[in-house]
Amino acid sequence: METQKWSIVALCLLGVLGSTTAKAEEENPEFWRAQGAKALQAALNRKLNTNVAKNIMLFLGDGMGITTITAARILKGQMHNQSGEETVMTMDTFPHAGLLKTYSVDFQIPDSSSTATAYLCGVKTNLNTVGVNAAARNGICKTQKGNEVTSILKWAKDAGKSVGIVTTTRVQHATPATTYAHSASRKWYSDADMPVSAKKEGCTDIASQLLKNTDIDVIIGGGRKYMTPKGTWDPEYPRDLASSGKRQDGRHLISDWQKMKVARYVWNRTDFDAVDPDTTDYLMALFEPGDLRFDVERDPTMDPSIAETTEKAIRILSKNPKGFFLLVEGGRIDQGHHASRASMALHETVAFDNAVAKGLELTNEEETLTLVTADHSHAFTFNGYPFRGQSILGKSPLYGKDMLPYTTLMYGNGPGYKVVDNKRPDIRKVDTQSKDYVQLSAVPLDTETHGGEDVAVLARGPMAHLFHGVQEQSYLAHAMAYAGCQIYIVRLVSSRIIPLHRATCLFSTQLLLHNTAFWCR
């Protein structure tokens, strides 16, 4: 009872103190009425865009749950000396929004490969599998055969569009891999990562599938070491054995790729900047042996930002009069969260939002469908009663029952568990805004886990209104393909033509309806 009394007193005190931080204009009810009226009028004036999507851009924030979006919004504002809460990120301006259910076929909480198979291929599957349906089993090669499913990137390429992937992880990682690969294990990056049994049964590694499965025009990310023979020195880190080539089959996939087409390969900023989009049709840019560096640790003289790589990709792909499909992944948001380093995850999200802005700047909304979404969330919480404008990476002014402070951002589990002798650490003198600070967690784990709640999908451009309500994550691929279609499907019934819907011309033929005919628009 005494503790409850003090909690009420503390909350009341916080309320009094917090009211002093309000902006004068926000104390006037007319401020909020005018703001509401303006937003309402914008909604009333909005007209549905039912054009065919010549281009489709899918921006995927790996691990970017709604809590991450909110916290990153505040951080972005505070990086520009604002209080942060009222900041409008680029992704916030998208007029259509929905929620996606992220569970996999076998787990309540998914991983990035099962979710990627859902939103890219239109089929939900099992944990840790890439580009296969749920009849395939994790790590069992023989179950992979006959259960492959293709992605919207391949559908777009088959329709004559240019296609590309941009990521801040290795290009063989779960999300980008699902655009082109079929694998019973997401961890089969190179042949050196595969069990002997899988190779004997005829399965191939993800890196080798990058070359043979789909003709991808632009490939940007990391992952050099999975492309070169074992022992091959890395051009950037020649003394680091961990960065050297891994392949056991002796293949040099980068050289093989260059021989297959008139193409440019670069691994550093100088060569990347020298690439002329007007004269380049194929580009592979691999800036690190593995994943790229976190944005706040990136050396801008060696590695471009995700906004810059997105710009280069769009300028190359947009030359195709039939349009393009581009996947842009902010992949290290997820890895920042796994390390329970909220600062890293949020700065990655801000950089990702800058890439979204660049994408919108370079395209026409009348002909380009742009989506922003996530594959899953994290065990990440935004809690306490921080004052308006307080650093999102700071501490709650309200202490715990043990009379010790805690951070506004915390994790349900992870490496930040630091209870010793039943006592939390005293962080009053700790700089919790440091990029290296590891947030406290409730359960000790070496790496923090994903979360299972729905994720947002934000949309603008042709057919953006299709991305609404609460949907299965696999719905995304179907709606994207429909938006990019130029044909209607009709069914012939008793010699009568009955229109069904605009056909998904990006779909593979296995998905088309029985007894159908095609009519051009």
Side-chain angles (χ1 to χ4, degrees):
M1 183 65 73
E2 191 69 20
T3 301
Q4 185 178 12
K5 182 193 301 183
W6 280 112
S7 296
I8 294 172
V9 170
L11 284 172
C12 291
L13 182 59
L14 285 175
V16 172
L17 294 174
S19 65
T20 64
T21 65
K23 297 178 181 178
E25 62 182 4
E26 294 179 354
E27 294 180 354
N28 184 347
E30 290 306 314
F31 170 81
W32 301 105
R33 290 168 182 155
Q35 187 183 87
K38 182 179 179 181
L40 176 59
Q41 191 60 56
L44 292 170
N45 292 341
R46 187 177 303 126
K47 292 180 172 59
L48 296 184
N49 181 343
T50 58
N51 295 339
V52 172
K54 174 184 175 182
N55 311 310
I56 299 175
M57 297 191 298
L58 175 59
F59 287 87
L60 190 287
D62 196 321
M64 190 182 69
I66 293 176
T67 302
T68 300
I69 293 175
T70 303
R73 177 189 304 127
I74 295 172
L75 176 64
K76 188 169 188 176
Q78 292 178 347
M79 290 169 65
H80 292 88
N81 298 316
Q82 300 169 358
S83 66
E85 298 83 1
E86 73 288 351
T87 300
V88 177
M89 293 204 294
T90 299
M91 66 179 82
D92 293 337
T93 66
F94 284 41
H96 299 280
L99 293 173
L100 302 175
K101 295 184 280 186
T102 64
Y103 67 90
S104 65
V105 169
D106 55 347
F107 280 81
Q108 284 185 345
I109 297 180
D111 76 315
S112 294
S113 59
S114 60
T115 52
T117 303
Y119 62 76
L120 289 171
C121 305
V123 175
K124 286 212 171 192
T125 191
N126 297 320
L127 210 73
N128 294 330
T129 60
V130 173
V132 291
N133 63 41
R137 297 292 182 264
N138 178 24
I140 304 177
C141 171
K142 62 184 179 181
T143 66
Q144 175 183 315
K145 298 177 182 179
N147 292 315
E148 296 88 351
V149 291
T150 56
S151 77
I152 190 170
L153 180 140
K154 177 169 174 51
W155 308 339
K157 189 67 179 184
D158 290 346
K161 296 180 184 292
S162 294
V163 296
I165 53 176
V166 171
T167 181
T168 54
T169 67
R170 68 204 84 171
V171 296
Q172 306 85 2
H173 207 256
T175 300
T178 307
T179 63
Y180 61 85
H182 313 286
S183 180
S185 174
R186 60 176 286 183
K187 297 181 180 179
W188 293 349
Y189 305 122
S190 76
D191 63 335
D193 301 304
M194 298 179 65
V196 173
S197 60
K199 287 187 276 190
K200 285 183 178 179
E201 291 173 357
C203 285
T204 55
D205 63 278
I206 292 170
S208 66
Q209 294 184 55
L210 177 60
L211 273 64
K212 72 177 184 180
N213 286 0
T214 304
D215 183 24
I216 303 177
D217 303 271
V218 174
I219 303 166
I220 302 178
R224 291 191 296 254
K225 65 182 179 181
Y226 305 106
M227 307 287 283
T228 57
K230 184 177 181 179
T232 304
W233 289 358
D234 184 81
E236 188 173 0
Y237 312 105
R239 297 179 181 273
D240 181 17
L241 292 178
S243 298
S244 62
K246 295 191 63 177
R247 300 198 64 81
Q248 295 177 341
D249 59 7
R251 293 184 64 189
H252 196 298
L253 298 180
I254 296 171
S255 296
D256 290 351
W257 186 77
Q258 290 177 293
K259 293 173 185 176
M260 292 166 58
K261 49 183 69 71
V262 179
R264 289 289 303 273
Y265 168 71
V266 300
W267 61 269
N268 59 65
R269 176 64 178 262
T270 301
D271 291 344
F272 179 77
D273 287 347
V275 173
D276 182 358
D278 292 334
T279 59
T280 303
D281 294 326
Y282 288 92
L283 171 65
M284 179 185 288
L286 304 179
F287 295 108
E288 290 289 335
D291 300 325
L292 303 192
R293 294 182 180 274
F294 284 111
D295 192 66
V296 296
E297 296 178 337
R298 176 176 57 88
D299 180 354
T301 66
M302 287 298 295
D303 300 332
S305 68
I306 186 173
E308 292 168 317
T309 53
T310 297
E311 177 176 5
K312 187 79 75 174
I314 292 173
R315 292 194 183 280
I316 293 173
L317 299 175
S318 60
K319 293 183 299 179
N320 187 337
K322 293 185 177 181
F324 66 84
F325 172 83
L326 176 63
L327 169 68
V328 179
E329 183 200 21
R332 300 221 67 189
I333 299 170
D334 178 69
Q335 295 174 4
H337 279 316
H338 279 308
S340 294
R341 296 166 70 186
S343 176
M344 286 299 197
L346 299 188
H347 279 92
E348 288 295 304
T349 307
V350 171
F352 176 74
D353 191 60
N354 293 338
V356 175
K358 181 58 67 174
L360 296 183
E361 175 189 326
L362 297 172
T363 55
N364 180 355
E365 186 173 344
E366 288 302 304
E367 64 179 15
T368 303
L369 172 65
T370 304
L371 301 178
V372 176
T373 189
D375 46 1
H376 54 74
S377 65
H378 276 267
F380 184 51
T381 63
F382 181 6
N383 68 151
Y385 293 94
F387 296 121
R388 177 77 178 276
Q390 182 174 318
S391 171
I392 189 64
L393 298 171
K395 309 174 186 77
S396 171
L398 186 65
Y399 284 20
K401 289 172 62 177
D402 55 5
M403 299 307 295
L404 292 173
Y406 57 93
T407 52
T408 301
L409 302 176
M410 299 174 68
Y411 291 91
N413 58 55
Y417 180 86
K418 299 172 183 176
V419 174
V420 178
D421 294 331
N422 203 33
K423 187 176 182 180
R424 294 189 299 122
D426 185 349
I427 59 171
R428 280 176 289 189
K429 296 182 180 180
V430 175
D431 179 12
T432 61
Q433 299 181 49
S434 165
K435 67 180 179 64
D436 297 316
Y437 179 72
V438 176
Q439 256 72 19
L440 299 179
S441 63
V443 176
L445 290 177
D446 291 334
T447 179
E448 178 266 355
T449 70
H450 295 167
E453 68 270 24
D454 297 351
V455 296
V457 55
L458 310 170
R460 67 189 303 163
M463 306 305 289
H465 55 281
L466 295 179
F467 302 90
H468 71 291
V470 180
Q471 308 286 351
E472 295 288 356
Q473 197 167 38
S474 50
Y475 169 77
L476 223 61
H478 299 265
M480 284 190 289
Y482 184 91
C485 175
Q486 302 182 54
I487 304 172
Y488 282 100
I489 283 184
V490 296
R491 175 175 284 174
L492 303 178
V493 179
S494 301
S495 299
R496 290 184 299 124
I497 297 175
I498 300 178
L500 292 179
H501 52 73
R502 186 163 64 170
T504 49
C505 56
L506 302 187
F507 273 129
S508 59
T509 55
Q510 64 183 353
L511 294 178
L512 298 181
L513 295 173
H514 176 66
N515 193 25
T516 58
F518 294 92
W519 293 69
C520 294
R521 297 178 65 186

